[in-house]
Amino acid sequence: DAGVIQSPRHEVTEMGQEVTLRCKPISGHDYLFWYRQTMMRGLELLIYFNNNVPIDDSGMPEDRFSAKMPNASFSTLKIQPSEPRDSAVYFCASRRGDQPQHFGDGTRLSIL
Amino acid sequence: QKEVEQNSGPLSVPEGAIASLNCTYSDRGSQSFFWYRQYSGKSPELIMFIYSNGDKEDGRFTAQLNKASQYVSLLIRDSQPSDSATYLCAVIYTGGFKTIFGAGTRLFVKA
């Protein structure tokens, strides 16, 4: 079975550009999570969806961040405009019910 | 109080010893608990999950849960240098069923 698929694996862009991160969850999973990980702040929950509906976006740092889940097999996280402090590893994860969640390989984002 | 708390470490143990990792959580109603291992530059991978009070063993790993004390731990027996990683405790919270992670404990196993 395919795991959680994220793209791109690495993204380097200049400050002010729009960044779009993509995620395909595991088929049949009804929860999807976006996390950001840095050395200083650890693994932070940004937003999560249940059955494609955003449930809690209180972790989204600013209005520059937005996330969508148009269907059960796809989600995006956008940053516009991007800033150097957004540089981090962004993980997508999915799970079914109260089962363990599974992570994608992450997107390593560098904003110059 | 943080939602999920772990000692950041680093925890250093000699090869062959038992490594003990601890975690406390604030949501008394939580029912689902997980331990993930994360190697540097990699994504977290699930190593144990536990839903009931008591111990759960899987190979060299034992998860222990005490809901009354809101405490979950992970024991690694016969620690190996390949166990050197960051271990993340995770809890599903009753409000909205979001998964919250602790900051992780860095474990070093010395050969």
Side-chain angles (χ1 to χ4, degrees):
Chain A
D1 287 343
V4 177
I5 300 173
Q6 290 187 247
S7 64
R9 291 293 309 278
H10 303 273
E11 176 86 9
V12 181
T13 192
E14 293 188 345
M15 176 175 147
Q17 297 298 306
E18 177 179 292
V19 173
T20 300
L21 310 181
R22 297 173 176 81
C23 176
K24 177 179 171 58
I26 294 172
S27 177
H29 283 195
D30 55 350
Y31 285 87
L32 182 139
F33 302 82
W34 283 101
Y35 293 89
R36 177 172 69 176
Q37 188 173 43
T38 61
M39 289 293 292
M40 292 297 294
R41 301 175 69 89
L43 196 62
E44 300 175 276
L45 176 62
L46 300 178
I47 184 171
Y48 74 104
F49 297 82
N50 177 222
N51 293 322
N52 314 338
V53 177
I55 302 301
D56 185 349
D57 65 354
S58 60
M60 298 284 260
E62 300 171 33
D63 291 344
R64 298 184 296 106
F65 286 70
S66 63
K68 294 181 180 179
M69 191 167 185
N71 56 61
S73 59
F74 184 67
S75 177
T76 59
L77 178 67
K78 285 190 178 181
I79 309 173
Q80 169 63 22
S82 58
E83 297 183 4
R85 58 189 167 135
D86 302 330
S87 298
V89 180
Y90 290 80
F91 288 108
C92 176
S94 70
R95 74 166 204 243
R96 177 165 51 202
D98 65 349
Q99 299 300 304
Q101 66 186 60
H102 299 269
F103 285 81
D105 289 336
T107 295
R108 187 171 297 273
L109 177 64
S110 296
I111 308 297
L112 306 177
Chain B
Q1 181 187 6
K2 290 184 180 178
E3 294 169 304
V4 180
E5 293 206 58
Q6 298 180 252
N7 289 328
S8 61
L11 173 65
S12 184
V13 300
E15 184 175 0
I18 295 175
S20 178
L21 306 165
N22 304 313
C23 172
T24 59
Y25 58 95
S26 61
D27 181 6
R28 185 168 290 278
S30 292
Q31 300 294 324
S32 305
F33 308 88
F34 312 94
W35 282 99
Y36 287 79
R37 178 177 61 200
Q38 186 176 25
Y39 293 113
S40 180
K42 301 294 186 182
S43 60
E45 58 176 327
L46 178 74
I47 53 173
M48 290 286 290
F49 61 91
I50 186 167
Y51 299 134
S52 302
N53 275 331
D55 295 359
K56 179 181 179 182
E57 186 174 317
D58 183 1
R60 297 186 295 113
F61 299 98
T62 298
Q64 299 175 315
L65 175 61
N66 184 327
K67 292 182 181 178
S69 300
Q70 295 174 236
Y71 176 92
V72 58
S73 65
L74 178 70
L75 300 178
I76 306 174
R77 290 182 300 281
D78 188 24
S79 295
Q80 302 296 310
S82 59
D83 294 327
S84 299
T86 296
Y87 289 81
L88 300 165
C89 173
V91 178
I92 294 181
Y93 266 59
T94 51
F97 298 101
K98 61 184 176 182
T99 309
I100 300 298
F101 283 79
T105 298
R106 292 189 68 189
L107 172 66
F108 293 101
V109 181
K110 300 174 293 184

